[in-house]
Amino acid sequence: LLINTLSISILQIIFCFPIPVLFALLLNEVRNAKLKKVVQTVSYLPHFISLVAVCSILSLLLNPSSGIINRIINFFGFESIYFMGSTTWYRPVYIISQIWQTFGFSSIIYISALSAVPQELYEAASVDGASRFRQMLTISLPSIMPTVIIMLILESGKLLSVGYEKTLLLQNSANNAVADIISTFSYRVGLSQGMYSFGTAVDLFTGVINCLMI
């Protein structure tokens, strides 16, 4: 349980955490105001989709017989992959879907931080001959770095608190070896099996570890 929970958490920090920062930096370079607003709105939408709907969409897309992903795989001459029942593919599917769900909404704080950067800095850099990419590296990124560090500290405080809702919806007997995490175990023993004291103790353990991490 601990290995599974840490694996998901560490993968989320490695892959899910940097994407909103990169997205905010790239969006900050868009000069067309209408296009910028459209991209922002579209990127925020997945955050508001129900987890049940997201997991249903995943099941339909990744279905081994009728899913569009496996149809594309078959088109190129490969055999279908049972993504939702594979211990190898469970974590990549979880992380990719998590990125899609969260990157837009998580970028809001970085976009806000970038909006506070004085335009004079960009103008001075442009006069000095700095390219847009150079301006991003020397002005935009250093300006939001304090925000990035604070968010990373807060993220480390959720190291053992991987949400149980999505895991419960995606796990099955075939992928349970890698899908079962501390929060689903706590839910199972505490509510399903009526072991309230033990379930509380498991949940308290995660809280203590998270507090120590911060």
Side-chain angles (χ1 to χ4, degrees):
L1 290 170
L2 194 59
I3 289 168
N4 290 344
T5 308
L6 285 172
S7 298
I8 293 290
S9 291
I10 291 167
L11 286 171
Q12 284 189 134
I13 290 173
I14 293 171
F15 295 104
C16 298
F17 182 78
I19 297 294
V21 180
L22 181 61
F23 177 69
L25 290 170
L26 293 174
L27 195 63
N28 189 56
E29 297 300 314
V30 177
R31 295 292 177 257
N32 188 317
K34 287 185 179 179
L35 177 62
K36 193 173 184 178
K37 287 179 181 178
V38 169
V39 172
Q40 279 184 276
T41 303
V42 171
S43 67
Y44 298 162
L45 288 177
H47 176 79
F48 300 101
I49 299 175
S50 164
L51 267 177
V52 176
V54 170
C55 293
S56 299
I57 290 168
L58 284 175
S59 296
L60 289 170
L61 290 175
L62 302 175
N63 187 288
S65 57
S66 59
I68 190 168
I69 303 299
N70 272 307
R71 283 178 181 270
I72 293 168
I73 291 171
N74 295 153
F75 177 78
F76 287 102
F78 299 100
E79 291 185 6
S80 297
I81 301 170
Y82 184 19
F83 290 97
M84 304 308 295
S86 168
T87 54
T88 305
W89 284 101
Y90 173 79
R91 285 170 186 160
V93 168
Y94 186 99
I95 295 299
I96 291 168
S97 63
Q98 194 72 3
I99 291 171
W100 175 71
Q101 276 183 274
T102 60
F103 85 96
F105 197 77
S106 300
S107 68
I108 291 175
I109 191 167
Y110 305 115
I111 294 168
S112 301
L114 283 167
S115 66
V117 180
Q119 288 300 311
E120 290 81 2
L121 292 175
Y122 294 105
E123 290 168 7
S126 182
V127 169
D128 288 338
S131 64
R132 295 278 288 277
F133 182 71
R134 187 68 179 172
Q135 290 175 38
M136 187 194 297
L137 290 180
T138 56
I139 300 173
S140 302
L141 187 58
S143 297
I144 64 168
M145 194 51 71
T147 306
V148 173
I149 291 168
I150 290 168
M151 295 304 294
L152 184 59
I153 291 168
L154 293 175
E155 196 67 27
S156 70
K158 298 187 289 184
L159 195 65
L160 294 185
S161 296
V162 178
Y164 69 92
E165 300 98 334
K166 189 174 181 179
T167 304
L168 279 176
L169 291 165
L170 291 178
Q171 72 179 174
N172 52 54
S173 56
N175 65 24
N176 203 47
V178 294
D180 202 20
I181 54 175
I182 290 174
S183 57
T184 53
F185 176 74
S186 177
Y187 167 82
R188 189 165 62 251
V189 299
L191 295 178
S192 301
Q193 298 175 18
M195 299 168 65
Y196 304 115
S197 299
F198 184 57
T200 304
V202 172
D203 213 39
L204 181 63
F205 163 76
T206 64
V208 170
I209 298 298
N210 289 339
C211 187
L212 288 172
M213 283 302 296
I214 289 183

